[in-house]
Structures are given as C-alpha cells and as structure tokens.
C-alpha cells in the first residue's frame, strides 16, 4: 500500500495511538524512483515490488543516500516528501 502522511496519521489515530515522531524518508532517491515509475508505468508488474528493478551491483551505491538520511534523521531532520513513511507511535490507552 501507498500512504500519504495525512492518511497514515489518521489510521494510526483511529487505532488508538499517538504519533510521537513522523517523517518521510528515502527522500534523496525520490526523483530517480519517480522517474523510473513513470517510465515503467502501464507495464504489468503484478505481484512484484520495486526491489527487483535494481541490479545487485548498485545496492552499495544506493545505500549511501539512505545512510546520509539516517544521520540527518538522528539529528531531528524531517523530510517533507519521500518514498517511505517513518512513524514512532505511543499507545494512548
């Protein structure tokens, strides 16, 4: 499933949780992923994820932006857009 931050917050709230921290991540790679999705739009990928699109050789290189984002997130940076959502929640019950 794909969620917006607004939708995810609403679902978390409806489940009885309070959002402590929320951000998008995978933000640095967002333009490349968006471009790849536009190029492959309409092609049948039923039952497949985006994970099988990248050659194994590139995994190390593509991990670098994720590592940078992890450092930034650990310093309180929040990203306004990204491929993924990250939430820390607390049960309000």
């Amino acid at each position: 499933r794909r969620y917006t931050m607004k939708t995810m917050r609403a679902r978390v709230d409806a489940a009885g949780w309070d959002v402590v921290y929320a951000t998008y991540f995978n933000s640095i790679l967002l333009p490349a992923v968006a471009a790849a999705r536009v190029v492959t739009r309409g092609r049948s990928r039923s039952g497949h994820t985006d994970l099988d699109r990248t050659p194994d050789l590139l995994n190390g290189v593509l991990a670098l932006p994720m590592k940078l984002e992890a450092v930034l997130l650990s310093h309180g940076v929040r990203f306004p857009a990204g491929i993924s959502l990250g939430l820390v929640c607390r049960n309000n019950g």
Side-chain angles (χ1 to χ4, degrees):
R1 284 185 198 262
R2 305 230 183 258
Y3 291 97
T4 63
M5 185 66 73
K6 181 179 178 180
T7 303
M8 183 57 79
R9 281 181 173 270
R11 295 218 174 176
V12 165
D13 185 54
W17 294 81
D18 291 323
V19 175
V20 176
Y21 178 86
T23 187
Y24 285 96
F25 64 100
N26 271 338
S27 299
I28 296 171
L29 295 174
L30 178 60
V33 170
R37 287 182 180 165
V38 166
V39 168
T40 60
R41 183 177 294 152
R43 295 183 190 165
S44 177
R45 296 198 38 86
S46 178
H48 292 90
T49 69
D50 291 342
L51 298 175
D52 63 348
R53 290 185 178 186
T54 307
D56 291 341
L57 230 126
L58 291 178
N59 284 341
V61 173
L62 294 174
L64 296 175
M66 298 287 296
K67 290 178 181 180
L68 173 60
E69 285 187 14
V71 170
L72 294 172
L73 290 168
S74 73
H75 286 89
V77 172
R78 294 186 183 174
F79 295 100
I83 302 162
S84 304
L85 288 169
L87 283 85
V88 175
C89 302
R90 176 180 346 179
N91 190 326
N92 64 17

Short mmCIF file of all heavy atoms in Angstrom, two decimals, residues 42-75:
data_model
loop_
_atom_site.label_atom_id
_atom_site.label_comp_id
_atom_site.label_asym_id
_atom_site.label_seq_id
_atom_site.Cartn_x
_atom_site.Cartn_y
_atom_site.Cartn_z
N GLY A 42 2.29 1.37 -16.59
CA GLY A 42 1.50 0.63 -17.56
C GLY A 42 2.02 -0.76 -17.85
O GLY A 42 1.32 -1.58 -18.41
N ARG A 43 3.25 -1.03 -17.48
CA ARG A 43 3.78 -2.38 -17.67
C ARG A 43 3.30 -3.26 -16.54
O ARG A 43 3.27 -2.86 -15.39
CB ARG A 43 5.31 -2.36 -17.68
CG ARG A 43 5.87 -1.60 -18.84
CD ARG A 43 7.36 -1.67 -18.85
NE ARG A 43 7.90 -0.74 -19.83
CZ ARG A 43 9.14 -0.37 -19.89
NH1 ARG A 43 10.01 -0.85 -19.02
NH2 ARG A 43 9.54 0.48 -20.81
N SER A 44 2.91 -4.43 -16.85
CA SER A 44 2.37 -5.36 -15.85
C SER A 44 3.46 -5.78 -14.88
O SER A 44 4.49 -6.30 -15.26
CB SER A 44 1.79 -6.60 -16.53
OG SER A 44 1.36 -7.51 -15.55
N ARG A 45 3.23 -5.50 -13.59
CA ARG A 45 4.18 -5.89 -12.55
C ARG A 45 3.42 -6.55 -11.41
O ARG A 45 3.83 -6.48 -10.27
CB ARG A 45 4.95 -4.68 -12.05
CG ARG A 45 5.81 -4.07 -13.15
CD ARG A 45 6.89 -3.18 -12.64
NE ARG A 45 7.53 -3.59 -11.45
CZ ARG A 45 8.57 -4.43 -11.37
NH1 ARG A 45 9.03 -5.00 -12.44
NH2 ARG A 45 9.13 -4.70 -10.22
N SER A 46 2.33 -7.16 -11.71
CA SER A 46 1.50 -7.79 -10.69
C SER A 46 2.32 -8.76 -9.85
O SER A 46 3.01 -9.63 -10.37
CB SER A 46 0.34 -8.52 -11.36
OG SER A 46 -0.44 -9.15 -10.38
N GLY A 47 2.25 -8.57 -8.54
CA GLY A 47 2.96 -9.45 -7.63
C GLY A 47 4.43 -9.13 -7.46
O GLY A 47 5.16 -9.84 -6.80
N HIS A 48 4.90 -8.04 -8.07
CA HIS A 48 6.31 -7.66 -7.97
C HIS A 48 6.46 -6.38 -7.16
O HIS A 48 5.56 -5.56 -7.10
CB HIS A 48 6.92 -7.45 -9.36
CG HIS A 48 7.04 -8.71 -10.14
ND1 HIS A 48 6.05 -9.17 -10.97
CD2 HIS A 48 8.04 -9.62 -10.21
CE1 HIS A 48 6.42 -10.30 -11.53
NE2 HIS A 48 7.63 -10.60 -11.09
N THR A 49 7.62 -6.20 -6.58
CA THR A 49 7.94 -4.97 -5.88
C THR A 49 8.98 -4.21 -6.69
O THR A 49 9.51 -4.71 -7.68
CB THR A 49 8.52 -5.25 -4.49
OG1 THR A 49 9.81 -5.85 -4.64
CG2 THR A 49 7.61 -6.17 -3.69
N ASP A 50 9.31 -3.01 -6.24
CA ASP A 50 10.36 -2.22 -6.88
C ASP A 50 11.74 -2.78 -6.58
O ASP A 50 12.72 -2.39 -7.20
CB ASP A 50 10.31 -0.77 -6.39
CG ASP A 50 9.08 -0.04 -6.87
OD1 ASP A 50 8.45 -0.51 -7.84
OD2 ASP A 50 8.75 1.00 -6.29
N LEU A 51 11.84 -3.69 -5.64
CA LEU A 51 13.14 -4.20 -5.21
C LEU A 51 13.86 -4.98 -6.30
O LEU A 51 15.08 -5.04 -6.30
CB LEU A 51 12.98 -5.08 -3.97
CG LEU A 51 12.42 -4.38 -2.74
CD1 LEU A 51 12.21 -5.40 -1.62
CD2 LEU A 51 13.31 -3.24 -2.28
N ASP A 52 13.13 -5.56 -7.21
CA ASP A 52 13.78 -6.37 -8.25
C ASP A 52 14.16 -5.56 -9.49
O ASP A 52 14.63 -6.11 -10.47
CB ASP A 52 12.89 -7.55 -8.64
CG ASP A 52 11.56 -7.12 -9.26
OD1 ASP A 52 11.23 -5.93 -9.18
OD2 ASP A 52 10.86 -7.98 -9.79
N ARG A 53 14.02 -4.26 -9.44
CA ARG A 53 14.35 -3.41 -10.59
C ARG A 53 15.82 -3.02 -10.65
O ARG A 53 16.30 -2.61 -11.69
CB ARG A 53 13.53 -2.13 -10.55
CG ARG A 53 12.08 -2.35 -10.81
CD ARG A 53 11.38 -1.02 -10.86
NE ARG A 53 9.98 -1.22 -11.16
CZ ARG A 53 9.14 -0.25 -11.38
NH1 ARG A 53 9.55 0.99 -11.35
NH2 ARG A 53 7.89 -0.50 -11.64
N THR A 54 16.51 -3.09 -9.54
CA THR A 54 17.88 -2.59 -9.46
C THR A 54 18.88 -3.73 -9.48
O THR A 54 18.75 -4.67 -8.70
CB THR A 54 18.06 -1.79 -8.16
OG1 THR A 54 17.03 -0.80 -8.08
CG2 THR A 54 19.40 -1.10 -8.11
N PRO A 55 19.89 -3.63 -10.30
CA PRO A 55 20.93 -4.66 -10.31
C PRO A 55 21.65 -4.72 -8.95
O PRO A 55 21.88 -3.68 -8.32
CB PRO A 55 21.90 -4.20 -11.40
CG PRO A 55 21.17 -3.19 -12.20
CD PRO A 55 20.12 -2.60 -11.32
N ASP A 56 21.99 -5.92 -8.51
CA ASP A 56 22.65 -6.10 -7.21
C ASP A 56 23.91 -5.24 -7.09
O ASP A 56 24.25 -4.79 -6.00
CB ASP A 56 23.01 -7.57 -6.99
CG ASP A 56 21.78 -8.43 -6.78
OD1 ASP A 56 20.72 -7.88 -6.44
OD2 ASP A 56 21.90 -9.66 -6.95
N LEU A 57 24.58 -5.01 -8.19
CA LEU A 57 25.81 -4.22 -8.18
C LEU A 57 25.60 -2.80 -7.66
O LEU A 57 26.51 -2.21 -7.11
CB LEU A 57 26.36 -4.15 -9.61
CG LEU A 57 27.82 -4.50 -9.73
CD1 LEU A 57 28.00 -5.59 -10.75
CD2 LEU A 57 28.59 -3.27 -10.09
N LEU A 58 24.41 -2.26 -7.83
CA LEU A 58 24.13 -0.89 -7.40
C LEU A 58 23.69 -0.76 -5.94
O LEU A 58 23.58 0.34 -5.43
CB LEU A 58 23.05 -0.27 -8.29
CG LEU A 58 23.45 0.04 -9.73
CD1 LEU A 58 22.28 0.61 -10.49
CD2 LEU A 58 24.61 1.02 -9.75
N ASN A 59 23.43 -1.87 -5.28
CA ASN A 59 22.91 -1.81 -3.91
C ASN A 59 23.80 -0.99 -2.98
O ASN A 59 23.31 -0.20 -2.18
CB ASN A 59 22.69 -3.21 -3.35
CG ASN A 59 21.44 -3.85 -3.93
OD1 ASN A 59 20.57 -3.17 -4.47
ND2 ASN A 59 21.36 -5.16 -3.84
N GLY A 60 25.10 -1.20 -3.04
CA GLY A 60 26.01 -0.46 -2.17
C GLY A 60 25.96 1.04 -2.42
O GLY A 60 25.95 1.84 -1.49
N VAL A 61 25.91 1.42 -3.69
CA VAL A 61 25.85 2.84 -4.05
C VAL A 61 24.54 3.45 -3.59
O VAL A 61 24.50 4.55 -3.04
CB VAL A 61 26.02 3.02 -5.58
CG1 VAL A 61 25.79 4.46 -6.00
CG2 VAL A 61 27.39 2.55 -6.01
N LEU A 62 23.44 2.73 -3.80
CA LEU A 62 22.13 3.25 -3.41
C LEU A 62 21.92 3.26 -1.90
O LEU A 62 21.04 3.96 -1.40
CB LEU A 62 21.03 2.44 -4.10
CG LEU A 62 20.99 2.59 -5.62
CD1 LEU A 62 19.97 1.65 -6.23
CD2 LEU A 62 20.71 4.03 -6.02
N ALA A 63 22.73 2.53 -1.16
CA ALA A 63 22.65 2.55 0.30
C ALA A 63 23.23 3.85 0.87
O ALA A 63 22.86 4.27 1.97
CB ALA A 63 23.38 1.36 0.89
N LEU A 64 24.12 4.50 0.14
CA LEU A 64 24.76 5.72 0.64
C LEU A 64 23.78 6.85 0.95
O LEU A 64 23.85 7.45 2.02
CB LEU A 64 25.85 6.18 -0.33
CG LEU A 64 27.03 5.21 -0.49
CD1 LEU A 64 27.99 5.71 -1.56
CD2 LEU A 64 27.74 5.01 0.83
N PRO A 65 22.83 7.17 0.06
CA PRO A 65 21.85 8.21 0.41
C PRO A 65 21.02 7.82 1.63
O PRO A 65 20.67 8.68 2.45
CB PRO A 65 20.97 8.33 -0.84
CG PRO A 65 21.75 7.74 -1.94
CD PRO A 65 22.66 6.73 -1.33
N MET A 66 20.72 6.53 1.77
CA MET A 66 19.96 6.07 2.93
C MET A 66 20.75 6.29 4.23
O MET A 66 20.19 6.69 5.24
CB MET A 66 19.60 4.59 2.78
CG MET A 66 18.73 4.27 1.60
SD MET A 66 17.03 4.80 1.85
CE MET A 66 16.57 3.78 3.21
N LYS A 67 22.05 6.03 4.17
CA LYS A 67 22.89 6.24 5.34
C LYS A 67 22.96 7.72 5.70
O LYS A 67 22.91 8.08 6.87
CB LYS A 67 24.28 5.66 5.10
CG LYS A 67 24.29 4.15 5.06
CD LYS A 67 25.67 3.59 4.76
CE LYS A 67 25.61 2.07 4.69
NZ LYS A 67 26.91 1.48 4.42
N LEU A 68 23.07 8.57 4.70
CA LEU A 68 23.07 10.02 4.94
C LEU A 68 21.75 10.45 5.57
O LEU A 68 21.74 11.20 6.55
CB LEU A 68 23.31 10.78 3.64
CG LEU A 68 23.17 12.30 3.71
CD1 LEU A 68 24.16 12.89 4.71
CD2 LEU A 68 23.33 12.93 2.34
N GLU A 69 20.65 9.96 5.05
CA GLU A 69 19.35 10.31 5.61
C GLU A 69 19.22 9.81 7.04
O GLU A 69 18.65 10.50 7.89
CB GLU A 69 18.21 9.76 4.76
CG GLU A 69 18.02 10.53 3.49
CD GLU A 69 16.79 10.11 2.70
OE1 GLU A 69 15.92 9.39 3.25
OE2 GLU A 69 16.70 10.49 1.53
N ALA A 70 19.76 8.65 7.35
CA ALA A 70 19.70 8.12 8.71
C ALA A 70 20.42 9.06 9.68
O ALA A 70 19.94 9.32 10.79
CB ALA A 70 20.31 6.73 8.77
N VAL A 71 21.55 9.57 9.26
CA VAL A 71 22.29 10.53 10.11
C VAL A 71 21.45 11.80 10.31
O VAL A 71 21.32 12.30 11.43
CB VAL A 71 23.66 10.87 9.49
CG1 VAL A 71 24.32 12.04 10.21
CG2 VAL A 71 24.57 9.65 9.50
N LEU A 72 20.90 12.31 9.23
CA LEU A 72 20.08 13.52 9.32
C LEU A 72 18.86 13.30 10.21
O LEU A 72 18.52 14.15 11.04
CB LEU A 72 19.67 13.99 7.93
CG LEU A 72 20.82 14.47 7.03
CD1 LEU A 72 20.31 14.71 5.61
CD2 LEU A 72 21.48 15.70 7.60
N LEU A 73 18.19 12.17 10.05
CA LEU A 73 17.03 11.85 10.87
C LEU A 73 17.40 11.76 12.35
O LEU A 73 16.65 12.20 13.22
CB LEU A 73 16.37 10.55 10.40
CG LEU A 73 15.66 10.62 9.06
CD1 LEU A 73 15.30 9.22 8.58
CD2 LEU A 73 14.43 11.49 9.14
N SER A 74 18.57 11.20 12.63
CA SER A 74 19.01 11.07 14.03
C SER A 74 19.28 12.43 14.66
O SER A 74 19.33 12.56 15.88
CB SER A 74 20.24 10.18 14.13
OG SER A 74 21.39 10.85 13.65
N HIS A 75 19.46 13.46 13.82
CA HIS A 75 19.65 14.82 14.31
C HIS A 75 18.36 15.65 14.26
O HIS A 75 18.39 16.87 14.35
CB HIS A 75 20.76 15.51 13.52
CG HIS A 75 22.13 15.03 13.86
ND1 HIS A 75 22.72 13.95 13.23
CD2 HIS A 75 22.99 15.43 14.82
CE1 HIS A 75 23.90 13.75 13.75
NE2 HIS A 75 24.09 14.61 14.72
#
